[in-house]
Amino acid sequence: MSNTTACPLDCYDACQMTYESGKLKGLQGGHTHGFLCPHLNHYENFERITQPTYKGKVISLDEALQKLKKIIGQTPKQQLLHYKSHGNFGLMQDVLEHFFASNGNILVDGSLCDSAGEAGILQGRGSNKNMPYSEIAKSDIVIFWGRNPHVSSSHLLPLMKNKKIIVIDPVKTQIAKMADYHVQLKPHTDIYFAMLLTRFLHIEDSCDKEFIKKYASEFEEYYELTQSIRIKATLDIMGLTLGDIGAVLEMLKDKKVAIVCGVGIQKYTDGADVMRSIDAFAVALGLFGKEGCGVAYLGNSKENILSPFNTKAKRVSKVNTAFDEFESVFIQGANPLSQMPDTSRVNNSIFHTKNVIYFGLWENKTSKCADLIIPAKTFLEKDDVRTSFAHHTLSLMPKQVESEIGISEYDLAKFLCDSFGIEIKTEQEYLEHFKNFGVMSIDGVFEVENRQSTPYKDGFDTDDGEFVFLDELESIKENEDGKLHLITSKSSQSLNSQFNRDRHVYINDSHGIKAKEKVKITSQNGEVVLEVKIMPELRDDCILIYSGTQGVNNLTSSQHSYDGKCAVYQENMVSILRDF
C-alpha cells in the first residue's frame, strides 16, 4: 500500500503528502513543495463525530442505517432532498448523488462559492480551462486580483521568486505588502477598473492587434462600451487616480502576464460580468494561448473526466434552498446553518423540516440540530481519487488507516442501492474508471489526460472560436452615507465553517472605535454582535468579517447572482452600531 495521498479539501493547491507513523507530511517536489497549509497540519485536532445518534441517543451504525432506510422508504420521492457540500473534492463523493438521482429524489445546483465567476468565463471563452500553476511559474508579472495566496493558495508563493507582483484588492493583504504595486480599490468596482485598463490600453495603442484580429473581432464594440464610463467620477468613487491605471499598464508592457483571480471579486449579483471584464482585459493584452500568460481562477476540475454516476435529477438552488418544502433532507458534509446566506431564513426552514439527516465528519451547528447523525470516514480511512481546479494533477488517495468509526460514501451508497434495488458497480470499478483518465506527464506527474498546458492555443471554445465580450454595463453606484461594504474573506485558520472559526469584526482605525469594543453590525437582512479588531490595512469604507464567523450570514442575502446561481455574500451594505 502506498503511503502517498492527497488533501481532500476544496482549496486551490490540492496538496500531495505522505502519511507515516500517524503524521502527514507535504510531498517534496511538484506543487506541494514539502509543506502543508494550517488546515491540514491540524486536521485531526477538531471535534469529530464518532458515533451515530438518533434524536440525541447514541445508536449503532447498523441501527442508523436501518433508520435511514426507513426514512427514505417512507418519504415520497419528490419530498426527499439530497443537499451536498463540495468541501471534500474526492471524485467518489458523488456516489451518493448516484443513489438519490436514481431513486428519483431532488438534488441541488448552483454554488456558495464560485459559480458566478465561472458563468462569466463560460460566456466569454465558451469553456472554463484554467491557467495551471506550471504556466504561472513561467510568467514575468503576476497580478493577484482579489486573491490572497498566503491564505488560499500558499503553494503559489514559491513560484513568485524573481517576479514582479501587482495586487488589486481593497485590503492591504500580506501579498499586497510584498507587491511592487497595490491598487486598493473600493469593493465591487473591479469591473470598472478592468474596463478602464482596457480603454487606456487601447488609447495607448498597446493592445495585441494580431490576437484581437484573430480571436476578438468585436473588440471595437466593446471599446465603445468602455467609453461609456465617466473617468473622473468613476475613479473618485473607486478612490483611485489615473496614475494607478498608468502604473499598472506600464508594468505590463512586453511581459508575460498571469492574472490570478480570487472568488471575492464575484460575490455579487453581477459577479459573472466582473470576471468577464477581467478576461476582456486579458484578451486586449493577448494573454490567452501563450506560454506564461493567461487568467487563473477556479478551473473545471472535472474537465475531460466522464462521471460513471447517474446524477440526472430535478434540482433546486443550493443558495436559497427551502428545506421546509421537503419532508426529509439528507445533508452530506455541508453545514448550511453556518455556510448558507441569510441564516435566519435557513434556521427557520430547517427547524420546520420533519427529518434532518446529517452525514459528515465534524460536529457543527447543522449536525447539532439533525434528527439522525451518521459519521463519515476521513480521507485517510477510505480510497478515493481527486482532481484540482488549479492544476492538472490526478491524485490517488489510497486508504492509509483502518478505523471502526463511520462509513464511507461508497459503502453508504452501496447499502442504499442494494436496499432499494438500484444498480451500483464495485468500488474498485469506479476507482479504476477515474484512474484511467490519468497519464504520466514528461515531468513524472500523474495528470488528467488531454488537458492543455497552455489553454486556448487554438482560440476560444465558442461557436466561432472568438471571445464574446460584454455588451452592456450598469452605472457605478455612488457611495451611500453611513453604509459600509462587507468583505467576507477566508481566514488562514479556517476553511469556510470548518476548523478554528473567527469571532471578530475587523475595521479601519478611522472610525473612532476601540479594539475589543463590542459593536452591532446590521444589514437589511439581519444583525450580529461581534468584538472589534482594528485592521489599518482595510479601506475606511469597508468592514471585514471572515467567512465562517458565527453570525456573519445573519447579514447576507439569499439572493442569487444574475448568472451562475451563486451566493452573493458581499452584496449587502452594512452599518455599525455602538450603543445598543
Side-chain angles (χ1 to χ4, degrees), residues 178-190:
M178 300 166 51
D180 296 275
Y181 200 82
H182 177 209
V183 179
Q184 195 166 7
L185 79 178
K186 176 183 174 182
H188 203 185
T189 61
D190 304 83

Side-chain angles (χ1 to χ4, degrees), residues 183-389:
V183 179
Q184 195 166 7
L185 79 178
K186 176 183 174 182
H188 203 185
T189 61
D190 304 83
I191 187 170
Y192 305 101
F193 189 62
M195 293 180 75
L196 285 174
L197 286 172
T198 303
R199 179 171 170 179
F200 278 90
L201 189 75
H202 182 63
I203 290 170
E204 293 178 1
D205 198 28
S206 296
C207 294
D208 188 325
K209 295 176 183 176
E210 184 179 343
F211 183 87
I212 288 172
K213 182 178 180 181
K214 194 171 184 181
Y215 298 119
S217 61
E218 294 183 352
F219 177 75
E220 286 298 327
E221 288 84 347
Y222 179 69
Y223 173 68
E224 289 180 15
L225 182 64
T226 70
Q227 290 181 302
S228 68
I229 299 173
R230 295 166 58 228
I231 296 173
K232 185 179 184 306
T234 300
L235 288 172
D236 286 346
I237 291 172
M238 289 194 290
L240 304 179
T241 68
L242 282 172
D244 292 306
I245 293 173
V248 171
L249 294 182
E250 181 63 30
M251 289 179 68
L252 303 186
K253 282 184 179 178
D254 303 317
K255 301 293 184 182
K256 293 181 178 179
V257 179
I259 303 176
V260 181
C261 299
V263 297
I265 60 174
Q266 52 88 71
K267 291 182 179 181
Y268 303 97
T269 49
D270 62 346
D273 291 350
V274 175
M275 192 67 224
R276 203 162 158 198
S277 69
I278 295 171
D279 266 1
F281 176 53
V283 167
L285 287 166
L287 299 184
F288 290 102
K290 296 176 183 177
E291 187 178 81
C293 299
V295 179
Y297 178 60
L298 283 77
N300 176 10
S301 64
K302 295 179 181 177
E303 180 191 353
N304 294 342
I305 293 181
L306 181 67
S307 174
F309 304 127
N310 172 30
T311 58
K312 292 181 180 178
K314 181 180 177 182
R315 294 176 181 261
V316 297
S317 166
K318 180 178 281 190
V319 177
N320 60 5
T321 314
F323 294 102
D324 53 351
E325 292 183 359
F326 298 90
E327 183 176 314
S328 301
V329 176
F330 182 96
I331 298 171
Q332 180 186 345
N335 184 9
L337 278 171
S338 292
Q339 294 171 320
M340 286 180 69
D342 197 356
T343 298
S344 177
R345 185 202 67 81
V346 177
N347 187 67
N348 183 65
S349 185
I350 287 183
F351 179 79
H352 287 97
T353 302
K354 181 179 178 182
N355 300 303
V356 177
I357 302 107
Y358 180 83
F359 173 57
L361 284 170
W362 313 111
E363 292 281 5
N364 57 42
K365 198 172 179 181
T366 303
S367 70
K368 288 175 181 176
C369 77
D371 300 289
L372 176 62
I373 298 176
I374 301 174
K377 296 281 189 188
T378 74
F379 76 103
L380 298 171
E381 299 165 353
K382 62 191 177 188
D383 293 304
D384 212 330
V385 180
R386 76 155 293 166
T387 53
S388 167
F389 45 68

Side-chain angles (χ1 to χ4, degrees), residues 46 111 197 425 446 508 553:
F46 302 96
S111 168
L197 286 172
K425 296 180 181 179
F446 196 56
N508 184 283
N553 284 320

Side-chain angles (χ1 to χ4, degrees), residues 390-407:
H391 50 78
H392 299 329
T393 307
L394 183 67
S395 301
L396 307 185
M397 303 170 65
K399 182 193 294 185
Q400 300 297 315
V401 295
E402 296 292 340
S403 174
E404 297 298 318
I405 299 173
I407 185 171

Side-chain angles (χ1 to χ4, degrees), residues 566-579:
C566 190
V568 292
Y569 291 108
Q570 298 179 171
E571 186 79 13
N572 280 353
M573 302 291 284
V574 299
S575 301
I576 302 175
L577 300 180
R578 299 179 72 181
D579 299 318

